[in-house]
Amino acid sequence: MTTKTSAETEFVSILGTGDKSDVPAKFSSRSLPDILPVLGLSDIVIFPGAVVPLLVETGPSLKLVDDLVAGDRLFGAVLQRNADVPEPAPGDLHTVGCVSRLAKMVKFPDGTARVLVEGLWRIRLKDYEPPAPYLRAHYELLRDDAEDSIELQAMLRNAHKQFEEIAKMSSALTDQVKIAALNTEHPGHFADLIAANLNLSLEDRQKLLEMISVRERLQSLLPMLNREQEVLTLSSKIQSDVASSIAKTQRDFFLREQLRAIQRELGDGDTNSAELKLLREKVEKAVLPAEVRKAAEQELERLQQTPPAAAEYGVGRNYLDWILNLPWEKGTEDKLDLKAAEKILNEQHFGLEKVKDRLLEYIAVIKRRKEIKGPLLCLVGPPGVGKTSLGKSVADALGRKFARISLGGMRDEAEIRGHRRTYVGAMPGRIIQTLRRVESRNPVILLDELDKVGADFRGDPASALLEVLDPAQNSTFTDHYLDLPFDLSRVLFISTANWLEPIHPALRDRLEVIELPSYTETEKLEIAKRYLVPRQIEEHGLTKSDVKFTDPALRMLIREYTREAGVRQLEREIAALSRKATRKIISRNGSAELVKIDAKDLESYLGHAKFVSESAEKISEVGIATGLAWTPVGGDILFIEATRMRGRGGLLLTGSLGDVMKESAQTAVSYLRSQAKKLDLDFDDYGKHDLHIHVPAGATPKDGPSAGVTICVALASLLRKQRVRSDTAMTGEISLRGRVLRVGGIKEKVIAASRFGVKQVILPEGNKPDWMDVPAEVRAKLKVHFVKQISEAIQLALAPK
């Protein structure tokens, strides 16, 4: 194996090797032997006409060199396919190489030899002789296929011109190579000269060596020359820009120093000194804890030793700004008047009596203890029920400043704790930023959408929130940027979420959950009359004398144009009606006539009703039952369908059901089969039929055990051939013993049943206490049946034959 030394490749036409007595001045291809020794090259391609220094290391290669010195000095130099093979076999070598002549050899004490070789002609290796002790092969001499054409001459001139440009810009090319290029007129020799000295990969060089056609060789070289010229031009531009930048920086430094010297001579002082003096005055006047004051003074001393042009100066200046502008001891005085707080809550929110009571209790404890040392409140409920606005109301009731931090989609822990100052553009976390913005150490901070916090490779923000929200730890909260403890124990944190499941378990353990229920129709009507309609009238530039919404119109809007737990869509529809009214008033050319929006006008303004009343949808077939479901956005109803067809006793479940719901269906089938006689069910030919249970809205994933009773009733209806009551909905988990077990979300489910026009609900006996949480208005509309056994539910749900 051979490797290229640090010496550059030179062209034979300018070769000067000192003593030439042992090197023939001229050599003819006719005197070439039939078989040539073959030397594998690991990292160089030798072209005809090139003189190359090589390092010979391995035993067989050293033996080959010794034999060459003693013989005719001719051998075949061929590139290896894999440079890591120490003793290549014929299969490890390329087929095209170069007949070369050993010009000089020098041996060194370490056993290696340095040789100078001259490339002569291209050859293609054919048959190899048995290696003894090095490779030898028969070969075919490859002559250049050169044509004397105008196109070839044009290509040669173009290559000459490009190589001259490269030679001007490249310091890697020696003067000898540049002179050789100017004096080489033969296209083939010039192409070999470029290939030997241009910065090319081994693969590209080997491809050029294998090209016999001179025209093809020049065609391949021209794009390579163009690319090398572009690289050198860009490199030269970059070096020039860097040199200019360094020169400008040095010039600015000297000018700045001269300016300072002039200012000192004139007695005007230093602008930097004036800035540092102002900072020192701010530090002295600021009310800071002892530890913070010490850190500020240390940073100020460091700034005095730092040149203003240095990047560290800006970092330290920003750090001092943050320290001086944070409300370390600045806060607002609490207004702990319970009656005033209750009045504010009632003015800004309708209903939600239990939620208001809990918030007033919280304020009462603060008034009694004069400090906040309690659990973090978490308002949980569907979208649009007023969670965020309740947090603002608490701040108004306490007389504190209010700030909201949206946690939805947050995935970076540094959003909470900040970045360390070692990073470019580092800043404190959102908590410290918020405190600086509100300029108070005791605001009410609402952490919105706590259940939407994510986590990835940048950390888990929920874990960082553990310290922020723990009353035992947050008195010494340390932001990574400040690296100083800040007391968050005076901050009143309130969080909101649509549901609790996604919240980190350790974080959920620190929360006191206050659930906000869905609004009833009456509550929505009152909210619309008191808040939504006046707000939209004002936002659209109208007055009460311009437009009037009647109660029937608002009720119809709630029933037939919206179906939601909160009131956001209702407000959007009221806004749409306000826009229609504004346009109508403008089109009258200033007429003062009142625009009255009644129920009969809704279709002309908003189009057809978006939701058909479910009470009008009667169950007319067997095998269909109405169930109650809970979702993060409130309660809902779902229809469960069952059918029977010929088969082998299988059970097919469809509708995007989860594992728990599938197990409920299997439990229902097993129970009904075991009680077939008692319940008068037709299971005699069960093995000849398949059962198929489907829950519509197949694109929506569904799971949970509370559909067990509904699945049982649907199957019983199918097997008894007896229809289920249209006005009855149900919920409950089932067991194999036929018991109906307690489930959650009763309030939302029952409110949804009332909203959809259901008249009767079947609930588990264990949910009796939850019934009293349902608003009285809803309870008055529904007849409730509490059951312990599945048989009771079936008896109540099936319509008489």
Side-chain angles (χ1 to χ4, degrees):
M1 179 180 69
T2 63
T3 57
K4 183 180 177 183
T5 65
S6 59
E8 292 294 331
T9 304
E10 294 182 357
F11 205 65
V12 68
S13 61
I14 47 111
L15 174 65
T17 58
D19 182 13
K20 300 183 183 179
S21 58
D22 56 344
V23 181
K26 202 170 182 182
F27 198 87
S28 172
S29 61
R30 296 176 183 176
S31 60
L32 289 174
D34 294 333
I35 299 175
L36 282 175
V38 178
L39 180 64
L41 306 176
S42 61
D43 60 354
I44 188 172
V45 176
I46 298 178
F47 285 86
V51 175
V52 181
L54 301 176
L55 171 66
V56 182
E57 297 176 307
T58 60
S61 297
L62 289 168
K63 173 63 176 168
L64 184 150
V65 169
D66 289 338
D67 291 350
L68 288 177
V69 172
D72 57 10
R73 301 189 175 222
L74 297 175
F75 67 98
V78 186
L79 180 66
Q80 296 178 197
R81 297 182 188 275
N82 184 356
D84 296 330
V85 178
E87 297 182 11
D92 297 322
L93 300 175
H94 286 277
T95 55
V96 175
C98 183
V99 175
S100 301
R101 180 178 62 180
L102 180 66
K104 276 193 175 184
M105 179 191 73
V106 178
K107 285 195 173 184
F108 287 84
D110 60 358
T112 62
R114 270 68 166 178
V115 296
L116 194 67
V117 299
E118 173 191 350
L120 299 176
W121 299 280
R122 285 176 172 79
I123 57 170
R124 180 178 284 109
L125 300 179
K126 291 185 174 180
D127 301 325
Y128 282 87
E129 294 290 317
Y134 44 79
L135 294 177
R136 294 182 303 147
H138 296 271
Y139 62 93
E140 171 191 358
L141 200 64
L142 301 177
R143 301 283 186 180
D144 280 353
D145 181 8
E147 57 186 38
D148 188 11
S149 65
I150 296 175
E151 183 182 1
L152 187 63
Q153 290 301 317
M155 290 171 63
L156 178 62
R157 289 185 183 181
N158 193 7
H160 258 295
K161 184 178 179 182
Q162 283 189 309
F163 193 74
E164 285 176 13
E165 293 296 326
I166 291 171
K168 291 177 184 177
M169 292 184 286
S170 176
S171 59
L173 296 175
T174 62
D175 292 338
Q176 290 88 343
V177 172
K178 296 174 184 177
I179 294 169
L182 292 174
N183 294 292
T184 304
E185 296 296 335
H186 189 279
H189 294 170
F190 183 74
D192 289 342
L193 169 63
I194 295 175
N197 291 280
L198 202 62
N199 186 17
L200 303 177
S201 66
L202 287 175
E203 290 77 10
D204 289 340
R205 289 186 175 183
Q206 180 63 31
K207 287 178 183 177
L208 291 170
L209 183 67
E210 293 175 0
M211 292 179 184
I212 307 303
S213 170
V214 176
R215 182 173 179 275
E216 184 182 350
R217 206 181 306 160
L218 280 174
Q219 276 182 334
S220 299
L221 273 170
L222 285 173
M224 297 177 186
L225 284 167
N226 190 43
R227 182 186 62 191
E228 183 69 14
Q229 186 177 356
E230 289 178 357
V231 169
L232 288 172
T233 302
L234 183 59
S235 176
S236 177
K237 182 179 181 301
I238 291 171
Q239 289 179 357
S240 175
D241 290 346
V242 171
S244 299
S245 175
I246 292 172
K248 183 179 182 302
T249 302
Q250 292 173 341
R251 176 176 173 274
D252 291 348
F253 176 77
F254 288 127
L255 288 175
R256 196 173 287 109
E257 290 300 319
Q258 288 175 358
L259 180 61
R260 284 182 185 173
I262 293 169
Q263 287 174 339
R264 283 195 296 269
E265 290 296 327
L266 293 174
D268 292 342
D270 190 338
T271 54
N272 184 38
S273 299
E275 183 181 28
L276 291 174
K277 183 180 179 182
L278 182 62
L279 282 173
R280 185 170 294 281
E281 289 176 0
K282 286 184 177 181
V283 171
E284 290 172 355
K285 291 179 182 178
V287 181
L288 302 173
E291 185 178 354
V292 177
R293 181 175 297 280
K294 182 180 177 182
E297 290 174 350
Q298 287 177 347
E299 191 65 31
L300 194 57
E301 293 295 331
R302 193 177 295 115
L303 276 181
Q304 288 179 333
Q305 306 300 323
T306 306
E312 291 80 3
Y313 186 87
V315 173
R317 182 71 177 80
N318 290 338
Y319 179 66
L320 266 180
D321 275 344
W322 275 101
I323 289 180
L324 294 173
N325 287 293
L326 280 175
W328 298 96
E329 301 293 339
K330 183 181 177 182
T332 55
E333 187 175 348
D334 289 339
K335 295 188 298 185
L336 300 175
D337 187 341
L338 284 180
K339 289 185 179 179
E342 186 175 3
K343 182 181 178 183
I344 290 172
L345 289 173
N346 287 332
E347 283 177 352
Q348 298 182 359
H349 292 84
F350 178 80
L352 305 174
E353 298 304 328
K354 288 190 175 182
V355 178
K356 291 177 184 175
D357 287 343
R358 180 64 189 88
L359 292 173
L360 290 171
E361 291 166 7
Y362 197 74
I363 294 172
V365 173
I366 296 174
K367 180 177 181 179
R368 188 71 176 174
R369 294 191 59 185
K370 307 294 184 184
E371 62 179 352
I372 303 172
K373 286 289 183 182
L376 167 74
L377 295 182
C378 181
L379 306 177
V380 178
V385 295
K387 299 184 295 296
T388 303
S389 58
L390 266 172
K392 179 70 170 67
S393 298
V394 171
D396 292 342
L398 287 171
R400 294 188 175 194
K401 294 187 177 181
F402 176 77
R404 172 181 166 272
I405 298 176
S406 177
L407 301 178
M410 186 181 290
R411 294 179 175 274
D412 189 354
E413 180 194 359
E415 291 277 356
I416 303 297
R417 292 187 180 275
H419 296 86
R420 301 191 185 278
R421 281 189 290 157
T422 51
Y423 296 106
V424 176
M427 289 184 68
R430 299 276 288 278
I431 302 293
I432 298 297
Q433 289 182 40
T434 301
L435 291 172
R436 176 177 176 174
R437 188 173 66 249
V438 300
E439 297 180 342
S440 173
R441 66 175 183 173
N442 62 340
V444 174
I445 294 182
L446 184 79
L447 302 174
D448 211 5
E449 309 292 356
L450 188 60
D451 55 333
K452 311 298 190 303
V453 174
D456 61 11
F457 64 92
R458 293 169 291 184
D460 183 1
S463 299
L465 282 171
L466 294 177
E467 181 187 0
V468 174
L469 303 179
D470 191 339
Q473 301 179 39
N474 63 8
S475 60
T476 57
F477 171 72
T478 303
D479 186 275
H480 285 160
Y481 180 83
L482 293 179
D483 201 22
L484 292 168
F486 193 98
D487 186 2
L488 297 179
S489 63
R490 297 179 182 88
V491 179
L492 175 55
F493 289 102
I494 299 176
S495 63
T496 70
N498 293 129
W499 58 321
L500 290 172
E501 285 302 317
I503 300 176
H504 193 289
L507 186 57
R508 192 163 64 234
D509 185 57
R510 288 164 167 78
L511 305 178
E512 179 176 337
V513 177
I514 300 177
E515 294 189 359
L516 278 72
S518 307
Y519 288 125
T520 63
E521 182 179 311
T522 303
E523 288 174 332
K524 288 182 180 180
L525 179 63
E526 287 299 321
I527 291 169
K529 289 164 64 177
R530 295 188 187 189
Y531 308 106
L532 305 185
V533 170
R535 184 160 64 215
Q536 290 304 320
I537 288 176
E538 182 183 352
E539 287 184 2
H540 288 81
L542 303 172
T543 63
K544 291 182 179 179
S545 60
D546 293 327
V547 64
K548 180 183 179 182
F549 290 79
T550 64
D551 286 5
L554 291 174
R555 285 190 183 277
M556 186 174 179
L557 202 60
I558 293 166
R559 290 175 182 170
E560 300 187 12
Y561 287 86
T562 67
R563 183 159 292 167
E564 57 180 342
V567 291
R568 283 197 183 133
Q569 183 60 32
L570 176 60
E571 185 168 13
R572 282 192 282 268
E573 297 296 342
I574 292 172
L577 291 172
S578 300
R579 290 194 296 273
K580 302 284 186 185
T582 304
R583 181 180 175 185
K584 195 171 184 180
I585 290 169
I586 296 298
S587 63
R588 289 176 179 171
N589 296 322
S591 173
E593 184 180 348
L594 175 72
V595 176
K596 185 179 180 182
I597 298 176
D598 208 345
K600 66 179 185 297
D601 303 319
L602 292 185
E603 187 169 346
S604 62
Y605 284 138
L606 301 176
H608 295 293
K610 297 176 182 177
F611 300 97
V612 179
S613 176
E614 296 291 341
S615 58
E617 186 177 324
K618 301 294 183 183
I619 296 177
S620 58
E621 301 176 23
V622 299
I624 302 175
T626 307
L628 298 174
W630 178 91
T631 72
V633 294
D636 202 353
I637 68 168
L638 52 84
F639 295 96
I640 293 182
E641 304 171 351
T643 189
R644 196 179 187 195
M645 57 273 185
R646 291 191 176 277
R648 298 182 180 180
L651 176 62
L652 183 61
L653 303 170
T654 57
S656 191
L657 308 184
D659 291 339
V660 176
M661 200 165 179
K662 289 178 181 178
E663 290 172 0
S664 294
Q666 293 164 352
T667 304
V669 172
S670 299
Y671 170 75
L672 293 177
R673 286 182 64 191
S674 67
Q675 302 294 322
K677 272 189 181 178
K678 183 178 178 181
L679 298 174
D680 190 24
L681 303 176
D682 181 15
F683 264 116
D684 293 338
D685 55 351
Y686 174 76
K688 297 180 181 178
H689 291 84
D690 288 342
L691 290 174
H692 185 176
I693 297 172
H694 177 68
V695 184
T700 306
K702 311 165 193 73
D703 204 1
S706 62
V709 167
T710 315
I711 294 171
C712 254
V713 169
L715 288 171
S717 167
L718 174 70
L719 297 169
R720 276 193 182 183
K721 297 181 176 60
Q722 191 174 349
R723 186 175 52 82
V724 177
R725 294 176 184 270
S726 298
D727 62 350
T728 303
M730 62 212 75
T731 185
E733 184 180 354
I734 60 173
S735 72
L736 279 173
R737 294 181 293 163
R739 295 176 59 208
V740 179
L741 307 178
R742 186 177 185 275
V743 293
I746 291 298
K747 181 193 283 187
E748 285 76 15
K749 292 177 180 178
V750 172
I751 290 174
S754 170
R755 190 166 67 240
F756 282 91
V758 172
K759 303 300 181 186
Q760 300 184 78
V761 290
I762 299 173
L763 304 177
E765 181 78 21
N767 285 112
K768 260 189 179 179
D770 299 317
W771 176 251
M772 297 313 297
D773 291 336
V774 178
E777 165 201 348
V778 175
R779 296 202 304 268
K781 291 182 181 179
L782 296 171
K783 183 178 180 181
V784 63
H785 304 279
F786 293 103
V787 297
K788 292 182 179 179
Q789 298 290 327
I790 297 175
S791 56
E792 299 174 45
I794 293 173
Q795 191 66 29
L796 290 166
L798 296 183
K801 289 187 178 180

